[in-house]
Amino acid sequence: MRKLLTMIAFTAVTGAYAQNLDYPRFGIGGQASFPAFGISAKADITETHSAQVTFGVAGPFSAYYGRYLYNFPENGNDLLFNPYLYGQAGIYTYKGFGIDYNNYSLYETTEKVFGWGVGGGLQFCFPNLTDRIKFNAELGYGKVGFDYYDFKSITFGAGIHYYFNL
């Protein structure tokens, strides 16, 4: 992850003003949505509609999900920001231990289930530096029903993406 962020920063500094961003555009980077984080790809199809896929692997819990984002108009001068709403769905995996009550021993178990979430956030960038690196912060609700752990929670998220034209 550290090498990816270094590569994004280097590319942004060396080619930040090579061309203006337009639609459609593509972003690659990292996305964290507690308790999972990982690599993310984001496509801004139009000014209003975006799609995102995230491959999040963090310890015993992993998430592979897609999102639809509805973007509101971008505002600001020295700090450009645009609010958005999202809906997500995906496959969530939990690795844990179960108990075999016949011989009272532990065994490793893996569950893969469908999960969903909704929420909103704020994407922002500093155009005086570059408009290619965009940050986001978000708040949402997610539900994943594992057999031994029913995951329903308010989720906090953050991300960084480097954008280029398609």
Side-chain angles (χ1 to χ4, degrees), residues 31-33 67 84-86 117-122 136-142 153-158:
Q31 180 72 39
S33 187
R67 284 183 171 179
Y84 61 88
L85 297 175
Y86 70 85
V118 294
L122 187 67
N136 69 297
E138 59 193 29
L139 178 66
Y141 173 80
S153 74
I154 301 295
T155 57
F156 299 97

Side-chain angles (χ1 to χ4, degrees), residues 17-18 37 46 50-51 58-59 75-76 78-79 97 106 112 125 133 161:
Y17 297 103
F37 61 91
T46 67
S50 298
N75 294 307
D78 292 336
L79 173 66
F97 292 98
L106 291 175
K112 288 185 181 182
C125 72
I133 297 178
H161 292 83

Side-chain angles (χ1 to χ4, degrees), residues 78-160:
D78 292 336
L79 173 66
L80 289 178
F81 62 93
N82 71 301
Y84 61 88
L85 297 175
Y86 70 85
Q88 74 180 34
I91 300 297
Y92 296 80
T93 303
Y94 177 73
K95 290 183 182 179
F97 292 98
I99 298 174
D100 183 353
Y101 291 106
N102 292 328
N103 59 9
Y104 298 103
S105 63
L106 291 175
Y107 63 92
E108 189 172 309
T109 181
T110 301
E111 285 187 73
K112 288 185 181 182
V113 298
F114 174 79
W116 60 270
V118 294
L122 187 67
Q123 179 172 274
F124 57 95
C125 72
F126 303 96
N128 293 338
L129 180 62
T130 180
D131 64 345
R132 294 186 172 276
I133 297 178
K134 297 185 182 279
F135 302 90
N136 69 297
E138 59 193 29
L139 178 66
Y141 173 80
K143 181 167 179 11
V144 180
F146 293 113
D147 286 340
Y148 297 104
Y149 181 64
D150 195 19
F151 179 76
K152 293 183 277 189
S153 74
I154 301 295
T155 57
F156 299 97
I160 181 173

